[in-house]
């Protein structure tokens, strides 16, 4: 199933502020494909009276993906009560996650999520395939209250050219969770 929708654009006038949802801010599920999510504030609001952000946390994740061939690019994702972005085994493959600021803006302002910045979740032996063939590149992933990138399960995913710093746990954590020596 293809959807081919755009949420936001590269134009600041088209920016959405997506926050205060009781669950996730944006959900791409059931094989949703071909969508572009770009230039939005997700879990983050703008304080018009000053040059600061307001906490518009979503009740779960900023963006939840159980679809394929989607692009999430150029967003500021912060303050969410779980992960900034989740790629789930219920269909997350061949997605591009690039040029986002997850947990901190481009100037380093802390808007950290309460969970990992980006989390690949699921059960490779369960109802779907492990998140696979996703590309996570050229993002800033900082100041989150858990890992920068947490890979619980997955195969063929590429994590490249990201700036990952200041997260409460490891920058990139592969299962089993924690330092593996």
């Amino acid at each position: 199933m293809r959807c081919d929708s755009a949420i936001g654009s590269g134009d600041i006038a088209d920016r959405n502020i997506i926050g205060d949802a009781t669950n996730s801010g944006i959900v791409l599920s059931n094989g949703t494909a071909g969508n572009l999510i770009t230039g939005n504030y997700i879990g983050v609001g703008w304080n018009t009276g000053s040059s600061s952000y307001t906490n518009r946390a979503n009740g779960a994740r900023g963006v939840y993906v159980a679809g394929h061939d989607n692009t999430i690019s150029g967003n500021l994702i912060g303050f969410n009560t779980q992960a900034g972005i989740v790629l789930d085994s219920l269909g997350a493959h061949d997605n591009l996650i690039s040029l986002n600021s997850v947990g901190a803006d481009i100037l380093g302002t802390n808007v950290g999520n309460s969970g990992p910045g980006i989390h690949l979740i699921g059960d490779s032996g369960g109802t779907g395939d492990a998140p696979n063939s996703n590309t996570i590149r050229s993002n800033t992933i900082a100041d989150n209250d858990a890992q920068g990138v947490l890979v619980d399960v997955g195969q063929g995913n590429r994590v490249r050219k990201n700036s990952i710093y200041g997260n409460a746990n490891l920058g990139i954590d592969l299962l089993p969770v924690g330092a593996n020596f």
Side-chain angles (χ1 to χ4, degrees):
M1 176 175 94
R2 293 204 62 85
C3 190
D4 297 321
S5 295
I7 300 172
S9 80
D11 185 343
I12 193 169
D14 291 331
R15 173 179 293 144
N16 296 294
I17 296 176
I18 301 163
D20 301 320
T22 56
N23 203 330
S24 297
I26 298 174
V27 175
L28 302 176
S29 63
N30 298 322
T32 303
N35 297 288
L36 173 63
I37 300 170
T38 186
N40 301 291
Y41 284 0
I42 303 169
V44 177
W46 184 251
N47 185 345
T48 56
S50 70
S51 59
S52 64
Y53 300 106
T54 58
N55 183 335
R56 306 300 304 223
N58 293 295
R61 306 134 185 127
V63 181
Y64 172 85
V65 181
H68 59 90
D69 297 293
N70 298 292
T71 299
I72 301 167
S73 181
N75 301 287
L76 175 59
I77 303 169
F79 295 132
N80 297 289
T81 61
Q82 295 178 15
I85 299 172
V86 165
L87 300 172
D88 196 327
S89 65
L90 298 172
H93 64 86
D94 297 296
N95 295 291
L96 174 61
I97 312 298
S98 72
L99 301 170
N100 298 287
S101 295
V102 183
D105 72 3
I106 59 172
L107 299 176
T109 304
N110 183 338
V111 294
N113 297 285
S114 294
I118 300 175
H119 192 177
L120 282 71
I121 66 171
D123 178 3
S124 60
T127 58
D129 294 325
N132 64 80
S133 302
N134 297 289
T135 300
I136 301 167
R137 107 172 148 229
S138 302
N139 300 284
T140 298
I141 306 167
D143 297 327
N144 297 289
D145 291 346
Q147 297 85 348
V149 177
L150 174 57
V151 180
D152 280 338
V153 66
Q155 53 203 44
N157 296 294
R158 295 164 300 283
V159 180
R160 298 183 177 147
K161 295 178 67 176
N162 298 286
S163 177
I164 303 172
Y165 61 90
N167 298 287
N169 293 322
L170 296 174
I172 299 173
D173 196 350
L174 307 174
L175 201 63
V177 173
N180 302 306
F181 298 100

